[in-house]
């Protein structure tokens, strides 16, 4: 279980915190970017497998088989046209399920994975960290393309401007300045701005609350997030988008928190 969790953690770290949004888009078109991404995976897997080989938990052949299998299949999947022909949301989830499924398959094929009862301390740390990354990064990245077609483009902004009007009265010229507050509506396609980080922190807090069995405090987190968007709820489309996005985010965080409780 320790080897499986370690390799899963390497995958999550390399695919999310260590892979920028620009890198994720560019690796489909630029081989050098894809190679850099695969190199990060290779380094992480090599460190983990090398450590297990040094400790005598893996033979050299088994370590090479697991490492090369994971890296080569990851290179094939990331370089394939899968993400170009499928809907972005579908491509993301299929891609991640294939990566994780292949990783688990190689480890199960080469080694025996036992379900520890209870979890030792190291496995607890790895389990909690892995599910924490799934809740914050993987679910957050996966929700965005799902909701992209429904994302409200409309935002409202207020600004002040000064208007100067020249008047002529009885041969005398004078200037009159008026301060006018304008309300303007504009559109944006920004999805992963500040809201992404708010959602990340929200899921992290919910996971912690579920893990320590303090679910009653989750309502305060939801209310605080809704308070910041209160004025925008006048827009029905935004309200619906916000509700479904929040529900998916909360559901994912709750499930990950419940998974973490298994190891505690």
């Amino acid at each position: 279980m320790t080897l499986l969790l370690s390799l899963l953690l390497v995958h999550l770290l390399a695919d999310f915190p260590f892979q920028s949004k620009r890198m994720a888009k560019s690796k489909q078109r630029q081989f050098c970017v894809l190679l850099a991404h695969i190199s990060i995976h290779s380094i992480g897997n090599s460190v983990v497998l090398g450590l297990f080989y040094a400790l005598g938990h893996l033979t050299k052949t088994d370590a090479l088989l697991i490492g090369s299998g994971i890296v080569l299949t990851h290179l094939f999947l990331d370089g394939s046209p899968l993400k170009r022909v499928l809907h972005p949301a579908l491509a993301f989830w299929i891609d991640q399920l294939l990566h994780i499924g292949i990783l688990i398959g190689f480890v199960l094929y080469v080694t025996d994975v036992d379900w520890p009862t209870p979890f030792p301390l190291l496995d607890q740390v790895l389990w909690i960290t892995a599910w924490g990354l799934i809740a914050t990064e993987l679910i957050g990245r996966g929700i965005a393309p799902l909701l992209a077609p429904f994302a409200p483009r409309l935002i409202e902004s207020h600004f002040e401007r000064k208007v100067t009007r020249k008047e002529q009265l009885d041969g005398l010229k004078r200037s009159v300045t008026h301060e006018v507050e304008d309300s303007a509506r504009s559109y944006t396609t920004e999805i992963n701005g500040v809201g992404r980080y708010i959602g990340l922190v929200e899921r992290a807090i919910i996971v912690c609350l579920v893990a320590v069995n303090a679910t009653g405090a989750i309502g305060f987190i939801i209310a605080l997030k809704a308070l910041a968007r209160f004025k925008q709820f006048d827009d029905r489309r935004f309200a619906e988008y916000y509700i479904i996005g929040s529900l998916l985010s909360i559901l994912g965080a709750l499930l990950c928190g419940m998974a973490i409780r298994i190891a505690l």
Side-chain angles (χ1 to χ4, degrees):
M1 177 63 78
T2 306
L3 174 61
L4 178 59
L5 291 175
S6 299
L7 292 174
L8 177 60
L9 187 58
V10 167
H11 167 75
L12 294 171
L13 288 171
D15 253 22
F16 298 107
F18 295 153
Q19 180 181 216
S20 64
K21 184 179 177 181
R22 180 178 298 179
M23 180 182 290
K25 290 184 177 180
S26 301
K27 68 183 180 183
Q28 288 287 317
R29 301 184 302 270
Q30 302 178 23
F31 182 73
C32 60
V33 177
L34 176 61
L35 191 61
H37 174 62
I38 297 299
S39 298
I40 296 173
H41 277 277
S42 301
I43 293 171
N45 289 327
S46 298
V47 170
V48 170
L49 294 170
L51 180 60
F52 275 80
Y53 169 71
L55 293 174
H57 299 309
L58 279 177
T59 65
K60 185 177 181 180
T61 303
D62 290 343
L64 288 174
L65 178 60
I66 294 174
S68 59
I70 292 174
V71 170
L72 290 176
T73 53
H74 200 107
L75 175 63
F76 172 76
L77 288 174
D78 279 11
S80 69
L82 175 69
K83 294 183 179 180
R84 294 194 294 268
V85 299
L86 296 177
H87 185 276
L90 186 61
F92 174 87
W93 287 105
I94 290 178
D95 178 70
Q96 286 302 316
L97 289 174
L98 286 175
H99 285 319
I100 295 174
I102 289 171
L103 186 153
I104 294 174
F106 271 108
V107 176
L108 290 177
Y109 177 75
V110 175
T111 65
D112 294 326
V113 178
D114 297 325
W115 186 267
T117 307
F119 275 64
L121 180 60
L122 178 58
D123 281 5
Q124 281 185 346
V125 173
L126 293 172
W127 181 271
I128 292 170
T129 306
W131 280 105
L133 284 172
I134 290 173
T136 55
E137 292 286 355
L138 191 150
I139 291 178
R141 299 277 185 98
I143 288 176
L146 275 174
L147 298 181
F150 312 105
R153 303 298 193 266
L154 188 60
I155 61 173
E156 188 173 355
S157 60
H158 296 272
F159 58 92
E160 293 184 356
R161 62 187 174 92
K162 292 184 178 181
V163 179
T164 301
R165 184 176 72 252
K166 293 184 178 181
E167 296 181 349
Q168 185 172 353
L169 183 63
D170 296 335
L172 298 176
K173 293 183 179 179
R174 65 173 183 174
S175 298
V176 180
T177 301
H178 300 276
E179 291 188 1
V180 181
E181 181 179 355
D182 288 341
S183 177
R185 288 179 175 266
S186 58
Y187 289 82
T188 179
T189 57
E190 180 64 29
I191 297 174
N192 293 325
V194 178
R196 174 178 175 270
Y197 297 101
I198 294 174
L200 189 149
V201 175
E202 173 200 18
R203 288 188 297 275
I205 295 174
I206 292 176
V207 167
C208 293
L209 292 174
V210 174
V212 299
N213 199 22
T215 53
I218 294 176
F220 293 101
I221 306 302
I222 300 172
L224 180 62
K225 182 181 176 183
L227 184 63
R229 303 281 192 173
F230 183 74
K231 289 186 177 180
Q232 292 176 283
F233 289 157
D234 292 337
D235 184 347
R236 179 179 175 181
R237 185 177 179 186
F238 173 83
E240 293 172 346
Y241 169 79
Y242 175 88
I243 290 171
I244 190 172
S246 295
L247 290 176
L248 288 173
S249 179
I250 293 167
L251 176 62
L254 288 172
L255 293 176
C256 291
M258 292 170 64
I260 287 176
R261 290 194 64 183
I262 294 175
L264 298 179

